Amino acid sequence: DMRDDSSDEDSPPPRRRVRAAPKPAGEMTVVERHVQRMMAARAEEEMETARQASRAETLRREGEEALRALGDLDVDSDSENEDDDAAGFTGRARRNLRRERGGEKPLGEAPPEIRDVRVRAVTPAELGMAYAWMRRDQRRYANAIRFWDTAASSIQAAFEERGEETGVSKQNERVLGAFCDALGPAPVAFAVLKSDGLVVDAMGVRQGLRRLGFGRALALELVRRAKRAASQLAGPPEYVIDALPSSVPFWETLGFKPCGGKDSPTTRVMRRLCGDVAMAVDLLEDPPEPRGDEWWLPARRKRFGDAEA
């Protein structure tokens, strides 16, 4: 028999790592002070991202409650059965639209333009309803883009952002929704604009309502806004986007083509990581001559060179 005669009293206490006291600022080198500032800024960014995610979750819960009260988000909302009485709100509305418009169109084939879609900045309640269907879509559909998991805090940050006006739109109107009265108060699609208030940074359509023309209606409105801005020199004469490879056929139906030019170092890295494709469409056949002080001109010169800008 082997016996362990050791006891807790005989065992030495576990060693605890003593955290070194922070070095006084006056004793730090220039490099140490720089690193300290970087670490503090990163910690604050991470905390703010967590706060934004928490605020997005609060809106999502409220939006989900509102949609359920309307008979949306039930188990049959996206049913493709023809039994309208048994289907949920979204399923019935989608089937009605599909019948009116001759069915869903395959990717790359342009559906008829929807005329009763309105595009505007979303309210907190509307953004919450969009969050609700984003989360529901990614849980129900294997091929859904995971906007809720991967982009909710970024969308919330864009929604909350305050800043100067670029002459086109306030930066706190960077999150837009597409609305159709026949489909209730929730946005059927959303777009997040870059800080210039013009160029789309992210865009999505509710999964059960895809291939019916809502994404096209939203994208066309964004291009129209950019065209108006370009005619007033409040924006560049072309609309340049970074498209996911799977969305290239969609943008091609709107006249976009692969775009050349020089990417920034950050954009080049992101392009390698995500496979994004630069695409562009000319907004004006005969754009006005820039004065030289336009906010968009330096970036355009970097991309296309002084000759074209």
Side-chain angles (χ1 to χ4, degrees):
D1 254 4
M2 296 188 65
R3 198 160 53 110
D4 185 2
D5 292 329
S6 64
S7 66
D8 291 341
E9 293 180 359
D10 299 328
S11 301
R15 293 184 178 181
R16 295 183 179 179
R17 182 175 294 179
V18 179
R19 192 172 183 177
K23 185 184 289 188
E27 299 178 12
M28 290 184 180
T29 65
V30 173
V31 173
E32 287 173 332
R33 287 197 295 271
H34 180 66
V35 170
Q36 185 187 53
R37 286 194 296 269
M38 288 179 59
M39 292 178 65
R42 181 175 179 179
E44 176 56 33
E45 287 177 3
E46 291 174 349
M47 290 178 62
E48 180 57 23
T49 297
R51 290 191 289 265
Q52 289 161 348
S54 177
R55 293 192 289 271
E57 171 64 13
T58 298
L59 289 181
R60 184 200 65 77
R61 289 179 183 274
E62 294 171 352
E64 184 173 293
E65 184 177 343
L67 287 182
R68 289 191 184 280
L70 293 168
D72 202 348
L73 290 185
D74 58 16
V75 294
D76 202 33
S77 281
D78 296 323
S79 170
E80 294 185 356
N81 298 324
E82 291 301 324
D83 185 359
D84 289 346
D85 293 333
F89 171 81
T90 308
R92 291 196 305 271
R94 183 183 63 176
R95 281 195 303 282
N96 288 339
L97 279 171
R98 190 168 60 226
R99 291 165 184 164
E100 293 172 4
R101 296 165 60 74
E104 297 177 0
K105 302 298 181 182
L107 185 62
E109 182 178 337
E113 187 171 348
I114 298 180
R115 301 186 182 279
D116 57 348
V117 174
R118 292 168 289 106
V119 177
R120 58 172 173 77
V122 297
T123 66
E126 292 162 349
L127 180 58
M129 289 187 278
Y131 284 150
W133 60 249
M134 287 180 206
R135 182 172 177 265
R136 197 288 183 89
D137 282 356
Q138 73 179 36
R139 291 188 169 193
R140 182 158 189 177
Y141 300 95
N143 62 336
I145 298 176
R146 305 182 70 83
F147 285 117
W148 174 252
D149 281 352
T150 62
S153 59
S154 299
I155 296 172
Q156 188 70 23
F159 179 70
E160 296 175 354
E161 185 175 294
R162 299 292 184 270
E164 298 179 357
E165 295 185 22
T166 62
V168 181
S169 131
K170 293 182 180 178
Q171 291 184 353
N172 62 350
E173 295 179 350
R174 287 179 54 196
V175 183
L176 306 178
F179 297 86
C180 179
D181 290 339
L183 294 171
V188 296
F190 76 93
V192 180
L193 304 181
K194 294 185 177 182
S195 58
D196 59 17
L198 287 174
V199 178
V200 63
D201 196 21
M203 192 175 82
V205 180
R206 185 169 178 173
Q207 193 77 13
L209 298 171
R210 295 182 67 195
R211 310 288 171 82
L212 290 172
F214 292 113
R216 180 180 177 83
L218 176 55
L220 285 172
E221 176 57 26
L222 298 179
V223 172
R224 280 193 285 266
R225 291 182 177 205
K227 187 174 183 177
R228 288 195 296 271
S231 68
Q232 301 167 15
L233 289 176
E238 59 278 312
Y239 199 75
V240 181
I241 63 165
D242 294 316
L244 293 172
S246 60
S247 69
V248 168
F250 165 79
W251 291 104
E252 286 178 337
T253 67
L254 299 174
F256 283 77
K257 297 179 181 179
C259 172
K262 184 178 179 182
D263 289 326
S264 68
T266 302
T267 303
R268 282 199 299 271
V269 171
M270 293 305 296
R271 234 183 263 297
R272 285 197 295 268
L273 291 174
C274 306
D276 288 353
V277 179
M279 304 188 75
V281 66
D282 290 331
L283 298 171
L284 302 172
E285 292 183 3
D286 186 19
E289 188 70 23
R291 298 182 302 272
D293 59 350
E294 288 79 10
W295 62 268
W296 47 268
L297 198 55
R300 186 169 185 266
R301 283 174 172 162
K302 284 183 181 180
R303 182 172 190 88
F304 297 110
D306 290 335
E308 290 195 29

